[in-house]
Amino acid sequence: MVRTVRTTSTAAAMAAVLAAAALGLSPHQAQAAPTATSAAPSTAVSDASSELRFYDIPGSGGITLKGNVFTPAGAGAGAKYPLIVLPTSWGMPQIEYIVQAKKLADSGYVVVSYTSRGFWLSGGEIETAGPADTADVSAVIDWALATTPADAAHIGLGGVSYGAGISLLASARDPRVKAVVALSGWADLIESIYSGRTQHLQAAGLLGAAGYLTGRPGPELQQILGDFLGSKLDKEPQMIEWGKKRSAAEQVDRINANGAAIMLGNAWGDTIFPPNQYAAFFEKLTGPKRLEFRPGDHATAEGTGLLGLPNDTWTNAHRWFDRYLKGERNGVDTEAPVQIKSRSDNRYEGYADWKSVGSGGTEKVMLSDSEHVFTGVDSGANGGIVLLSSVLDQFAQAPPIASVPLLPRAFAAVWQSPRYAEERRVRGTVRVHTTLTPTKSDGTFVAYLYDVGPLGIGKLISNAPYTFHDRPAGQSFGVDLDLFSTAYDVPAGHRLAVVVDTVDPLYIEHNPTGAQLTFSSPRTDPSYVSVPLREQ
């Protein structure tokens, strides 16, 4: 039976869909649902422009994916349109992209969105962007070419977060894909949630909880998540190998060989998929490419666009598809490939490549005095709260703060620069180089860079964790740690402060009881923080 609802606006269509979703099965009930593969639509919602229909779409391995299709208005027999496939984000249902999908269809695309396997009413179990997920993308493309007026020669993929990661991986698998827009995603899963050999506790915990709440984690994911959060180091090689299989950075040669045009977008403060790994991946791409970084946290840069509000992230995504699926000469390919917005003034800056972002040279803050830190106590310096702190920075320029003079020196090492007579425009990746001597063979520390004002209040510029295991107690070793990339302007009259402590709620720490860490600066190998700057 086909149910058709006539509406006069996307908002009304959205309301109808949300109401239908509220009456649907729970994610766990969906496991027992029949896996129909009929191409017949279950619901149709249309207006004077594009038409929306809901389908059961056959995925890989015999499962059913719950999806929807927008087709351009007046699509006649024999007409063909570029195809865009949008896998949903982690924990999100198929209506996630309905506003942007309609806009794309109104401009001449067939747009297919579907709930990723294992979530909500789609069949299967959560595979975390495994081979079954990328096979689903190809299956959806096959179905769309057979069922809709989609053009096989002009196929694009896109998505936010989980949908972005799946899209990148699928572009390595399926050479039919000509363009990808990957927003707030990952290219290297290990560097995203295990950077510095440190578990990103809040990020992994949030993803795990959302997976159990909205879907059905498969046994492999359950095992990996348990080992990861349980700090089972004997399982570390298996966890890393699992992550590599789900990282587009490991398949960059295949992506380059297939030649899809890749647009990447992320936020400076993304607490789930930090920006460094996207920048490194971007540099390895050889085809048409674009990298955008903005203030915000995970998926907040494009979030307002999903609600239908003006949003330059989605505007540029549409331009990218128009250029590489329709061939429109809209100038997106002639702009500087790297486009960033500073967290301080929110204006675009264009660069030829990622290496040029810090082209104004580097300034070193010397870490000349030895510092001894007792572990196991949070000094008050920390990276904030996942999803919340960077949103406050995005909308109110209010990042996490700390009173640097009041930080307890027994639990925090502190070094400060002189006050700057002129503004310092930090751009790119700050690197910490130091010599560490532990009293135990295992340990964790977190390094922070602060902008310190006249009253001693430090605003967080960046941070990153570092963990070591099986080091000889009492033996010194060198450490090079890249902080999470950023763009931040330090006002004249302020100074930079480098703070190191051993506890941060964002991360799991591995400091044995009673351990101490000593940070020194040998004459033959001085310690410093290297700060990349924008050209004045």
Side-chain angles (χ1 to χ4, degrees):
M1 175 180 173
V2 177
R3 182 169 61 89
T4 303
V5 180
R6 296 291 175 181
T7 65
T8 57
S9 68
T10 299
M14 192 77 165
V17 175
L18 286 170
L23 298 174
L25 297 171
S26 71
H28 298 281
Q29 288 173 308
Q31 182 69 2
T35 54
T37 58
S38 170
S42 57
T43 307
V45 181
S46 63
D47 60 16
S49 52
S50 53
E51 182 179 67
L52 168 64
R53 292 180 179 270
F54 294 87
Y55 289 87
D56 287 343
I57 302 175
S60 65
I63 72 160
T64 296
L65 301 169
K66 295 294 182 177
N68 59 68
V69 179
F70 270 104
T71 53
K80 293 292 182 181
Y81 303 92
L83 169 66
I84 297 175
V85 175
L86 304 172
T88 58
S89 303
W90 186 272
M92 295 296 290
Q94 59 171 299
I95 59 171
E96 176 184 10
Y97 304 112
I98 199 166
V99 172
Q100 292 300 325
K102 182 184 185 303
K103 290 182 177 181
L104 286 165
D106 286 345
S107 66
Y109 292 95
V110 172
V111 186
V112 181
S113 179
Y114 68 92
T115 304
S116 299
R117 71 164 49 221
F119 289 101
W120 295 99
L121 301 181
S122 281
E125 297 175 322
I126 302 173
E127 302 286 345
T128 322
D133 288 294
T134 54
D136 283 343
V137 174
S138 294
V140 171
I141 291 173
D142 293 340
W143 176 88
L145 294 177
T147 310
T148 74
D151 184 350
H154 301 92
I155 298 173
L157 302 177
V160 176
S161 186
Y162 192 49
I166 290 175
S167 294
L168 287 175
L169 288 161
S171 72
R173 171 192 173 98
D174 198 324
R176 295 175 295 181
V177 176
K178 304 304 180 186
V180 176
V181 172
L183 306 175
S184 289
W186 78 92
D188 189 326
L189 193 56
I190 301 301
E191 279 300 307
S192 294
I193 61 174
Y194 195 49
S195 67
R197 208 179 176 188
T198 308
Q199 300 105 312
H200 293 210
L201 173 62
Q202 291 186 17
L206 179 65
L207 291 173
Y212 279 100
L213 181 64
T214 63
R216 302 168 300 281
E220 187 178 28
L221 173 58
Q222 294 181 45
Q223 182 69 49
I224 289 292
L225 191 61
D227 292 342
F228 184 80
L229 295 176
S231 300
K232 296 182 179 179
L233 290 176
D234 59 319
K235 301 293 186 180
E236 185 182 47
Q238 293 93 317
M239 289 187 282
I240 291 175
E241 185 60 28
W242 178 87
K244 285 183 175 180
K245 290 179 180 178
R246 290 156 172 80
S247 297
E250 297 292 321
Q251 302 184 44
V252 67
D253 290 342
R254 293 180 61 180
I255 293 173
N256 287 334
N258 288 340
I262 308 291
M263 173 180 161
L264 306 170
N266 205 356
W268 294 119
D270 194 319
T271 45
I272 296 180
F273 303 130
N276 304 44
Q277 45 91 31
Y278 246 18
F281 176 68
F282 171 82
E283 289 291 87
K284 296 177 183 178
L285 294 172
T286 57
K289 59 184 180 179
R290 182 180 177 95
L291 176 67
E292 298 183 357
F293 284 144
R294 298 175 176 84
D297 206 313
H298 184 65
T300 64
E302 54 273 356
T304 55
L306 294 175
L307 300 175
L309 300 176
N311 182 282
D312 57 353
T313 302
W314 282 105
T315 296
N316 289 339
H318 287 230
R319 294 172 66 217
W320 192 256
F321 283 135
D322 289 346
R323 175 66 186 91
Y324 291 103
L325 296 183
K326 290 183 177 179
E328 292 184 3
R329 297 289 180 178
N330 55 21
V332 72
D333 56 329
T334 62
E335 297 170 357
V338 176
Q339 296 285 328
I340 70 172
K341 282 186 175 182
S342 167
R343 291 163 49 198
S344 303
D345 62 19
N346 207 31
R347 290 183 296 181
Y348 275 113
E349 301 169 7
Y351 298 89
D353 51 34
W354 176 247
K355 296 187 294 292
S356 301
V357 170
S359 57
T362 58
E363 181 170 300
K364 288 185 177 180
V365 177
M366 304 307 298
L367 313 181
S368 55
D369 298 325
S370 293
E371 296 281 352
H372 307 275
V373 176
F374 290 97
T375 65
V377 175
D378 189 344
S379 71
N382 62 67
I385 300 173
V386 66
L387 293 184
L388 175 61
S389 297
S390 294
V391 171
L392 293 175
D393 183 40
Q394 176 184 1
F395 293 107
Q397 293 190 1
I401 62 173
S403 177
V404 174
L406 297 181
L407 291 173
R409 296 310 197 260
F411 307 112
V414 180
W415 299 267
Q416 296 191 73
S417 73
R419 295 194 185 278
Y420 294 117
E422 297 180 348
E423 179 184 58
R424 293 293 191 274
R425 298 179 179 179
V426 181
R427 297 291 185 275
T429 307
V430 174
R431 169 167 287 192
V432 176
H433 173 76
T434 189
T435 296
L436 174 60
T437 308
T439 60
K440 305 288 185 180
S441 59
D442 303 289
T444 298
F445 71 85
V446 184
Y448 309 88
L449 184 68
Y450 284 100
D451 160 25
V452 183
L455 299 179
I457 301 300
K459 293 184 177 181
L460 185 66
I461 298 174
S462 186
N463 78 99
Y466 182 90
T467 294
F468 59 92
H469 295 290
D470 301 322
R471 289 281 185 175
Q475 183 171 316
S476 301
F477 60 95
V479 173
D480 287 296
L481 174 63
D482 287 346
L483 305 190
F484 301 134
S485 302
T486 194
Y488 183 96
D489 299 337
V490 180
H494 288 212
R495 66 177 75 195
L496 290 173
V498 179
V499 177
V500 175
D501 74 0
T502 64
V503 176
D504 189 312
L506 286 173
Y507 312 111
I508 291 178
E509 52 100 0
H510 297 264
N511 294 298
T513 302
Q516 299 179 46
L517 303 178
T518 298
F519 298 90
S520 59
S521 182
R523 184 175 58 183
T524 56
D525 185 19
S527 296
Y528 59 87
V529 171
S530 177
V531 181
L533 302 175
R534 176 189 172 189
E535 289 184 354
Q536 296 295 326

